[in-house]
Amino acid sequence: MPILVMKFGGTSVADLDRIRNAAEKVRREVERGYDVIVIVSAMSGKTNELVGWVSKTSPLFDAREYDAVVSSGENVTAGLMSLTLQEMDIPARSWQGWQVPLKTSSAHSSARIVEIPRENIDQKFAEGMKVAVVAGFQGISEEGRITTLGRGGSDTTAVAFAAAFEAERCDIYTDVDGIYTTDPRITKKARKLEKIAFEEMLELASLGAKVLQTRSVELAMRYKVRLRVLSSFEETDETSGTLVCDEEEIMESKVVSGVAYSRDEAKMTLLSVADRPGIAAAIFGPLAHGGINVDMIVQNVSADGRTDMTFSCPVDQVLRAERAMQEAKERGEINFGELVQDTEVCKVSVVGIGMRSHAGVAARMFEALKAENINIKVISTSEIKISVLIDRKYMELAVQALHDAFGLDEAA
Ligand code: ADP
Ligand code: ASP
Ligand code: MG
C-alpha cells in the first residue's frame, strides 16, 4: 500500500469536533487506498500552558523535566485521534515517540531526530492497521529520557516519518490554506503561493514564519519529500494548498518572494570590552555553552583599545544570556563596563532567491522603512535575505510597508 503522512497542527485538533473533522480527512485518504501515518500536535494553547507551568515552577529549569512536561500535550491528542478513527471503524492505534521509537539526540528542548526504525509500525500495517497515529514533537534520547524537537516540532516529526516510510507525500494541515507572501494575519494583501522553493521556505521559516518548522523544511529538501501545506478547515484535494519544491519546478519568479518577522527578539550590548584577539570567542563561547541562540552580531569600531559588542537572541533567553555573561566576568574571562538590554525589539526580513542576481534590494528596503519613519537598529544580510532589528511596536507596519514596496500582492 502507498503511504501518506498527514500532520494536524494545534488548531486542527483543538477540541473533539475538530479531531473528528481531521479524522474525516484521514478516512478519505484511507478510502483512496493509502496506509496513513497521522502526526498530531497538542491542542492549540496546550504547549504554551505547559511551558508556562514549567517556567513558573523553575525559571532556569532542568531541560529534561521541561521535555517530560511539555511533550505531554501530544499524548492526549494522539490517543483521542486514534479513538475517533476506531469509532469510525478504521483500524488505528496511537504511538508515543518512545514507542516507535523515534530516536533523537540528547539536546533537550531542541533535539534532532537520529533514527526512525520502521519495524513496529510496518508490522502493524501488515496485520491490517490502516492508520498509525503518532504523537508529534517528541522522541527518546539514547539515555532513555523523553526529548522534544523545539517549538513547531511536529512538522519535523511529519517530514521525518515521510522520509523514513518513503511516503508519497507529506501533507501539513493547518489553520491557513497554504503558504503566503507573508503571514496573512498581518496583512490582508498577503497572497497565497502555489509553490515555493525549499531554499526560500527554509529562510522564511528560520526568520520566523512559523507555518513550518525550519528543520522540517531542511529534512524535506534533503530527502526529497513532497511537502504540502493546506487547510484543515476547507474541502481539499490533490491540488490544494502550497507545494514546497525545487527551484526548477517554479515558473513565477520575483526578486523578493516573502516577508517574515520574528516578534520576540532582544538586543544585548556589552559596553566597553577589551578589543583583543579572542574576545569574541570569550563572549560567544559561554553563550553557546549556556544554550543561547545568538542571531545577529555587531562589533563596533574600537576607540582606545575598547569596543562594544552587540548581539540579538530570543527574548526568553535574556536571563540565561545575562547569567552566562556575569559568570564569565566573575571567572575573569571577559571584562565589560555595562550590559545593556533592549527587550522591545523584533526582526523583520525580506527573502527571495532572485536577490542573488539583483542589486538594490537593501536600498529599496531601507527606503520603505524610512518612509514610515522606522529606525533600524541592526542589519544583517545573506545571499537571499536581508534582516533588520527594529522596535517591536512597528512590526506590523514594517511588514506591511515592505510587502507593498516589493509588490508582493501582485502575481509575478
Ligand atoms: P499549526 O498549529 O497548525 O502548526 P502554526 O500556528 O504553527 O500552525 O502555523 C500556522 C500559522 O503560521 C498561520 O496561522 C499564520 O498565522 C502563520 N504564518 C506565518 N507566516 C506565514 C506565511 N508566510 N504563510 C502562511 N502562514 C504563515
Ligand atoms: N505542540 C508543539 C508546539 O506547540 C509542537 C507543534 O505543535 O508542532 O510547539
Ligand atoms: Mg506549527
Side-chain angles (χ1 to χ4, degrees):
M1 290 282 187
I3 290 179
L4 193 67
V5 172
M6 302 172 76
K7 179 255 174 178
F8 293 95
T11 43
S12 311
V13 293
D15 56 38
L16 300 185
D17 282 340
R18 291 202 176 163
I19 291 176
R20 209 167 308 122
N21 168 67
E24 282 296 343
K25 289 198 177 282
V26 177
R27 185 223 296 264
R28 234 159 291 154
E29 300 295 359
V30 170
E31 285 169 358
R32 283 194 186 121
Y34 287 108
D35 278 348
V36 181
I37 299 175
V38 172
I39 310 293
V40 286
S41 288
M43 291 181 180
S44 67
K46 192 66 203 173
T47 311
N48 284 343
E49 181 183 48
L50 296 168
V51 170
W53 289 348
V54 170
S55 303
K56 249 196 182 147
T57 308
S58 171
L60 293 169
F61 47 77
D62 172 346
R64 291 164 297 194
E65 301 304 348
Y66 167 96
D67 279 351
V69 176
V70 306
S71 62
S72 64
E74 274 74 7
N75 296 345
V76 175
T77 45
L80 290 172
M81 176 62 83
S82 180
L83 287 170
T84 307
L85 290 162
Q86 288 174 8
E87 287 295 324
M88 296 172 163
D89 291 326
I90 299 168
R93 76 155 267 191
S94 70
W95 309 75
Q96 295 183 5
W98 67 272
Q99 294 174 301
V100 173
L102 188 149
K103 298 179 189 170
T104 73
S105 70
S106 310
H108 284 277
S109 82
S110 57
R112 287 186 156 235
I113 297 173
V114 175
E115 196 195 346
I116 303 180
R118 290 180 55 153
E119 298 83 68
N120 289 333
I121 288 177
D122 271 344
Q123 192 190 331
K124 291 290 169 194
F125 276 138
E127 289 168 11
M129 174 188 71
K130 296 307 297 174
V131 184
V133 185
V134 180
F137 182 49
Q138 49 171 267
I140 185 166
S141 71
E142 215 176 316
E143 291 80 27
R145 301 292 309 253
I146 302 298
T147 54
T148 63
L149 309 178
R151 298 306 306 270
S154 298
D155 298 330
T156 301
T157 308
V159 175
F161 268 89
F165 284 80
E166 295 161 82
E168 205 167 285
R169 222 174 41 236
C170 181
D171 285 344
I172 307 284
Y173 287 88
T174 184
D175 57 0
V176 280
D177 61 354
I179 297 164
Y180 281 70
T181 47
T182 193
D183 187 344
R185 285 173 209 262
I186 302 284
T187 168
K188 285 201 174 62
K189 292 187 189 168
R191 188 170 50 86
K192 195 179 102 184
L193 300 165
E194 200 182 314
K195 292 177 177 176
I196 186 167
F198 282 121
E199 278 187 66
E200 284 175 328
M201 192 58 232
L202 200 55
E203 284 284 358
L204 286 174
S206 72
L207 294 168
K210 66 173 188 154
V211 61
L212 285 173
Q213 197 196 33
T214 309
R215 184 85 183 116
S216 72
V217 186
E218 244 167 54
L219 282 182
M221 192 161 143
R222 177 143 116 232
Y223 293 102
K224 303 240 168 278
V225 171
R226 273 190 99 67
L227 178 62
R228 190 164 71 132
V229 173
L230 67 171
S231 168
S232 61
F233 303 128
E234 289 172 12
E235 280 303 313
T236 45
D237 59 30
E238 275 85 15
T239 62
S240 306
T242 303
L243 188 70
V244 191
C245 60
D246 283 326
E247 216 174 296
E248 291 74 35
E249 276 189 63
I250 300 177
M251 304 300 284
E252 179 177 16
S253 116
K254 284 202 162 196
V255 180
V256 165
S257 50
V259 181
Y261 64 85
S262 170
R263 184 186 300 272
D264 297 313
E265 299 290 319
K267 175 162 98 59
M268 302 187 77
T269 303
L270 295 159
L271 291 176
S272 187
V273 294
D275 189 9
R276 57 168 172 82
I279 189 63
I283 291 170
F284 294 103
L287 288 172
H289 190 70
I292 316 301
N293 297 317
V294 172
D295 180 16
M296 298 164 151
I297 298 175
V298 180
Q299 181 180 340
N300 289 9
V301 173
S302 70
D304 305 326
R306 303 200 77 82
T307 185
D308 303 330
M309 191 77 87
T310 298
F311 63 90
S312 70
C313 69
V315 79
D316 61 2
Q317 294 182 353
V318 163
L319 207 59
R320 276 173 193 268
E322 196 180 346
R323 190 176 66 159
M325 290 297 86
Q326 294 300 352
E327 285 176 359
K329 191 176 186 182
E330 280 157 27
R331 288 194 301 271
E333 293 163 11
I334 53 174
N335 198 354
F336 55 87
E338 219 184 310
L339 180 54
V340 184
Q341 302 176 9
D342 183 351
T343 53
E344 296 294 322
V345 293
C346 71
K347 182 171 66 170
V348 176
S349 314
V350 299
V351 170
I353 38 186
M355 268 186 225
R356 284 194 200 120
S357 50
H358 277 80
V361 177
R364 181 137 45 125
M365 179 176 191
F366 303 153
E367 262 316 312
L369 295 172
K370 178 185 117 186
E372 299 296 343
N373 215 8
I374 297 171
N375 188 35
I376 300 170
K377 301 189 164 194
V378 181
I379 302 169
S380 84
T381 66
S382 79
E383 202 188 16
I384 66 163
K385 70 115 204 263
I386 303 170
S387 301
V388 293
L389 217 56
I390 59 170
D391 278 333
R392 193 173 301 138
K393 63 182 177 209
Y394 297 127
M395 194 188 80
E396 279 85 359
L397 181 62
V399 171
Q400 288 157 0
L402 294 171
H403 198 269
D404 285 347
F406 289 99
L408 295 183
D409 51 335
E410 299 144 26

